[in-house]
Amino acid sequence: MAACGSAKEAGGGGTMTPAGTSPGATGGTGASSFKIGLLLPESKTARYEKFDRPYITQGVATLCPACEVVYANANQDPNQQQQQVDSMLTNNVKVLILDAVDAKAIASSVAKAKQQGVKVVAYDRLAGGPIDAYTSFDNVQVGKMQGEALLNALKEGGDPKRGPIVMVNGSPTDPNAGDFKKGAHSVLDGQVTIGKEYDTPDWSPDQANTQAAGAFTALGADKVIGIYSANDGMAGGIARAMQNAGVPKGTPLTGQDAELAGIQRILLGTQTMTIYKPIKPEAENAARLAYDLGSGKAVQGATTVDNGSGSPIPALILTPIVVTRDNIKDTVVKDGFWTVEEICTADVQAACKAAGLS
């Protein structure tokens, strides 16, 4: 899936691309054309370029064929993202769809946008500052689901306090990471023994690998009975550390994002579960909110959230889904998130067959 439009690069401290333009067309409701800035945080995680960007671009094109989506990716650099906002404001965007690298650091840019009459939709992460709307998943619920899956897996092996677990949380600059952590702790606290816990800068798989390796050395690789990983990227780094340290195969390991490698690890038995957050409805929500704001329509959210800016923010919140070996076919495959061909590479073929995927 590729975003529509050209690949012409613009200025502004990062990659900025016009996408989904259709000069001279009119919007689905007769609205005049306008520019929508789309700012995504990084490209290491597969979802942003493969799913979020094209789904949002397609959603905008459906609602407003004459609108132009101007795209920028911050490559996990908050300063670069602030420069990209400045460049988009200079480029006369009317609305920003913003997935913040650093929710607090971007607040001044959000305030600048408001001063210039530009609306801001916080996407996936609740940015600071006077944003106008928000769409994401119930992130505390994500953490609860991860915690419950880990606790259930630990109970299958006996007393969940029979040994320590390791917790590897996400980036301290990402408010979602705090929500995942809060949800996981609400389930795990008092039920397990947390031997080591880390917050991982930039969601780095390499950092997670280093942290996990240190934890296994300190606690004893044969003593650790489970690992909480806040997402699949870090779970990949942790899985390597588990193998290198000699942590027994089948030791529970959580994840999130339903990344291809995470799904494959679940089939191979080196990861227990992941959280699937269907990106298409989230992206379509963002496109709808941006279009309504740019068209001067009142935004209706099913609920409201508070980011500390002083006003309730209309929000569209979606429900995540737990994926295990037993429901891969009925979730990520059924939705076309991943195909059987993508999942069942040569080294996963036998596991796919055993799971009924091929």
Side-chain angles (χ1 to χ4, degrees), residues 172-193:
T173 62
D174 181 349
N176 288 3
D179 285 343
F180 305 146
K181 182 177 175 179
K182 178 181 177 182
H185 271 287
S186 74
V187 172
L188 296 173
D189 287 356
Q191 302 295 314
V192 302
T193 301

Side-chain angles (χ1 to χ4, degrees), residues 58-307:
Q58 291 161 10
V60 170
T62 299
L63 293 164
C64 181
C67 289
E68 176 184 342
V69 176
V70 184
Y71 174 68
N73 190 301
N75 300 312
Q76 201 63 59
D77 183 341
N79 293 325
Q80 187 173 358
Q81 191 166 67
Q82 290 174 324
Q83 293 166 9
Q84 289 168 343
V85 171
D86 288 343
S87 190
M88 287 190 177
L89 295 179
T90 302
N91 198 13
N92 296 316
V93 300
K94 196 168 184 179
V95 185
L96 293 173
I97 298 173
L98 170 66
D99 191 340
V101 175
D102 185 325
K104 291 181 179 178
I106 203 67
S108 60
S109 296
V110 173
K112 188 183 295 185
K114 185 176 181 67
Q115 289 168 2
Q116 296 188 24
V118 175
K119 305 293 186 180
V120 179
V121 177
Y123 177 70
D124 203 56
R125 296 168 179 167
L126 185 58
I131 62 174
D132 298 280
Y134 172 57
T135 186
S136 186
F137 288 81
D138 185 335
N139 294 312
V140 173
Q141 183 63 25
V142 168
K144 287 181 179 178
M145 288 174 162
Q146 291 172 316
E148 287 165 358
L150 178 57
L151 184 59
N152 290 337
L154 294 173
K155 286 179 177 178
E156 286 179 10
D159 181 358
K161 287 188 174 181
R162 66 189 180 277
I165 72 162
V166 177
M167 292 191 69
V168 183
N169 305 305
S171 172
T173 62
D174 181 349
N176 288 3
D179 285 343
F180 305 146
K181 182 177 175 179
K182 178 181 177 182
H185 271 287
S186 74
V187 172
L188 296 173
D189 287 356
Q191 302 295 314
V192 302
T193 301
I194 300 170
K196 293 285 184 181
E197 182 169 9
Y198 306 91
D199 294 330
T200 311
D202 299 333
W203 295 89
S204 167
D206 292 337
Q207 285 279 343
N209 174 275
T210 301
Q211 291 163 342
F216 301 149
T217 298
L219 300 170
D222 58 338
K223 302 284 197 303
V224 172
I225 63 169
I227 302 94
Y228 169 86
S229 172
N231 79 349
D232 289 342
M234 296 193 307
I238 294 164
R240 292 194 304 275
M242 292 170 71
Q243 183 177 18
N244 293 338
V247 175
K249 186 176 179 181
T251 298
L253 171 65
T254 67
Q256 178 186 184
D257 291 330
E259 288 200 352
L260 181 58
I263 296 295
Q264 292 172 328
R265 283 193 298 272
I266 289 170
L267 287 165
L268 292 169
T270 55
Q271 184 171 322
T272 308
M273 56 78 71
T274 188
I275 297 289
Y276 170 46
K277 298 181 293 187
I279 294 170
K280 191 170 186 180
E282 184 185 22
E284 289 173 344
N285 280 349
R288 166 56 68 182
L289 290 168
Y291 174 68
D292 286 351
L293 286 166
S295 302
K297 296 181 181 178
V299 171
Q300 300 294 323
T303 186
T304 60
V305 295
D306 179 10
N307 73 345

